[in-house]
Amino acid sequence: RLEYVSYHDGLTGLYNRSYYEQELKRLNVERSLPMSIILADINDLKLTNDTFGHMEGDRLIQTFATILKKTTRAEDIVARIGGDEFVILLPNTNEQEVTLIVDRINEFVEREISTKIKLSAAIGYMTTNEIVDSIDKIFVIAEEAMYHQKLRDKQKQQADILNIIEVSYRERFPEQYLMSMAMVDCVKKMLATQNVPVQKETDILYATQFALVGLLSDERLSLTHEKHRIAEHGYHILKNVPAFRDVADYVLAIFENSDGSGKPHGLHSADIPLASKMIRVTLDYYSLQSQGLRQKSILKKLVKNVNIVYDKEVLDLLIQATKEKQDEKIRS
């Protein structure tokens, strides 16, 4: 029992790093040649943990581990060597054979539908036909191949991550999602009066759309209780999208107040991004509207908080934008 624990990963039942390193040295002999090594890295594990919690992240790891067990042979050494990293040692396996095994792993991964976030992995491999001075050289070459695949798939992965976030948000919080889309339309009108570069405008509109995406991490949160934590969770989810660094920063600052009394950092007006100010006043406007308040009552409440929560200039932009929307309704 003690020997099993010392050589196996507790979460997956696969071998652990210690056993892998021991076997790597043992197999660096002529009778194991040709020897191949496969290195695999689960994509989006951090996103899974940030969005759905670590239990779902563990399930993603276990699902991938099961696939590796199913697609390899009894003599192969399958190990989990890090949080999302796996390695397979394949003695007496040439390049053609290892390619077939990698193809089989990819087929099983593609068919897997049991996890909340679509399972995907970057895989690299290397075959040696001779004993090497440093067995780590094989690992490094396999690792480089894996990272090259990650780079090749980067654009698709980013689109997949964004789709995962949007679909999860829309399905689990349909009311908030619909409100966020109305907010996007309003903020777009506010931005029309500003000289904002196209890319920055795009980022602001994404931040508006995903202002409440932090609810995915903890649905017990609400806009009436510790609402800044929604922004904090949203920040951690959105920063998983490489192109969303600014978007994540805008979301984090949504619940900062003009007078410095907001959270999480107590920023004053001059330090709060304009995007965050626009999103905040628009979010509060639509939240009050969802409570059944009429336009006059909503604006009265918002005006009371000028220079406390909102900047007057930003509130004026909102008032103009909502007036335009009402005029459009009348004309239609």
Side-chain angles (χ1 to χ4, degrees):
R1 174 64 185 169
L2 281 174
E3 186 179 3
Y4 180 90
V5 170
S6 64
Y7 286 135
H8 287 79
D9 173 56
L11 181 63
T12 63
L14 299 179
Y15 290 116
N16 59 20
R17 176 181 282 275
S18 177
Y19 187 81
Y20 151 73
E21 289 175 347
Q22 179 179 298
E23 288 298 287
L24 194 60
K25 291 173 185 173
R26 184 182 69 82
L27 292 171
N28 190 27
V29 292
E30 197 163 335
R31 68 173 181 272
S32 297
L33 299 175
M35 189 172 82
S36 295
I37 183 169
I38 297 172
L39 193 64
D41 188 297
I42 298 175
N43 295 322
D44 307 329
L45 180 61
K46 188 175 185 304
L47 173 64
T48 304
N49 289 333
D50 288 343
T51 308
F52 299 108
H54 286 270
M55 284 184 67
E56 187 61 31
D58 287 350
R59 199 152 77 89
L60 202 67
I61 291 168
Q62 290 167 330
T63 300
F64 188 59
T66 300
I67 287 173
L68 295 184
K69 289 175 190 173
K70 285 179 181 176
T71 52
T72 51
R73 307 159 303 187
E75 64 269 26
D76 299 330
I77 307 297
V78 186
R80 180 184 176 214
I81 58 170
D84 54 5
E85 281 191 311
F86 298 78
V87 66
I88 308 170
L89 299 178
L90 306 103
N92 307 118
T93 306
N94 62 33
E95 189 169 351
Q96 185 178 4
E97 290 168 327
V98 74
T99 301
L100 290 173
I101 291 170
V102 169
D103 287 345
R104 192 156 67 240
I105 293 169
N106 283 326
E107 285 172 17
F108 272 72
V109 167
E110 189 60 35
R111 294 205 303 261
E112 182 57 53
I113 57 169
S114 69
T115 53
K116 287 185 179 178
I117 283 187
K118 179 73 178 77
L119 178 63
S120 70
I123 300 175
Y125 60 92
M126 169 63 184
T127 300
T128 181
N129 293 298
E130 57 187 16
I131 299 170
V132 292
D133 296 335
S134 173
I135 199 73
D136 288 339
K137 288 179 182 176
I138 306 174
F139 181 93
V140 169
I141 294 170
E143 188 175 45
E144 285 177 359
M146 181 188 75
Y147 284 123
H148 283 150
Q149 186 189 338
K150 269 191 179 291
L151 287 173
R152 285 195 303 271
D153 296 344
K154 189 175 181 181
Q155 196 168 2
K156 181 181 181 299
Q157 284 174 18
Q158 183 163 299
D160 287 345
I161 291 171
L162 194 54
N163 184 60
I164 288 163
I165 294 171
E166 183 170 4
V167 170
S168 300
Y169 181 33
R170 186 176 66 235
E171 290 180 351
R172 289 176 59 190
F173 300 96
E175 289 181 17
Q176 288 86 346
Y177 181 81
L178 286 173
M179 184 174 78
S180 72
M181 297 314 293
M183 287 166 56
V184 167
D185 188 45
C186 186
V187 170
K188 197 168 187 178
K189 290 184 185 303
M190 294 165 74
L191 287 168
T193 65
Q194 309 297 301
N195 188 22
V196 177
V198 173
Q199 184 56 57
K200 186 171 183 178
E201 179 176 338
T202 301
D203 288 346
I204 292 171
L205 295 178
Y206 270 126
T208 306
Q209 180 180 347
F210 295 118
L212 301 179
V213 78
L215 290 168
L216 287 172
S217 293
D218 189 347
E219 56 191 39
R220 295 168 299 178
L221 297 174
S222 73
L223 289 172
T224 56
H225 178 64
E226 291 192 315
K227 55 191 174 186
H228 68 280
R229 290 188 60 212
I230 299 175
E232 289 173 344
H233 285 302
Y235 168 80
H236 288 296
I237 291 171
L238 294 170
K239 72 177 183 179
N240 286 291
V241 183
F244 269 25
R245 303 302 184 202
D246 288 343
V247 175
D249 287 339
Y250 295 153
V251 168
L252 182 62
I254 287 172
F255 296 110
E256 300 287 356
N257 294 336
S258 289
D259 67 354
S261 63
K263 291 183 178 180
H265 299 305
L267 301 179
H268 284 79
S269 177
D271 299 316
I272 303 170
L274 175 63
S276 305
K277 294 176 183 179
M278 286 182 168
I279 296 167
R280 171 64 181 280
V281 73
T282 309
L283 174 59
D284 288 354
Y285 173 87
Y286 279 97
S287 296
L288 291 168
Q289 191 180 75
S290 70
Q291 295 169 27
L293 272 67
R294 294 184 179 275
Q295 178 81 351
K296 190 175 179 180
S297 299
I298 293 172
L299 295 181
K300 189 176 178 181
K301 280 181 173 288
L302 296 180
V303 168
K304 271 187 180 179
N305 284 292
V306 166
N307 297 327
I308 300 170
V309 177
Y310 320 111
D311 286 5
K312 183 180 184 304
E313 297 81 4
V314 177
L315 180 56
D316 287 343
L317 290 174
L318 172 82
I319 292 169
Q320 181 59 36
T322 54
K323 184 178 182 302
E324 286 177 19
K325 288 194 76 170
Q326 287 182 335
D327 290 345
E328 287 171 5
K329 274 187 178 180
I330 292 168
R331 285 197 298 271
S332 62

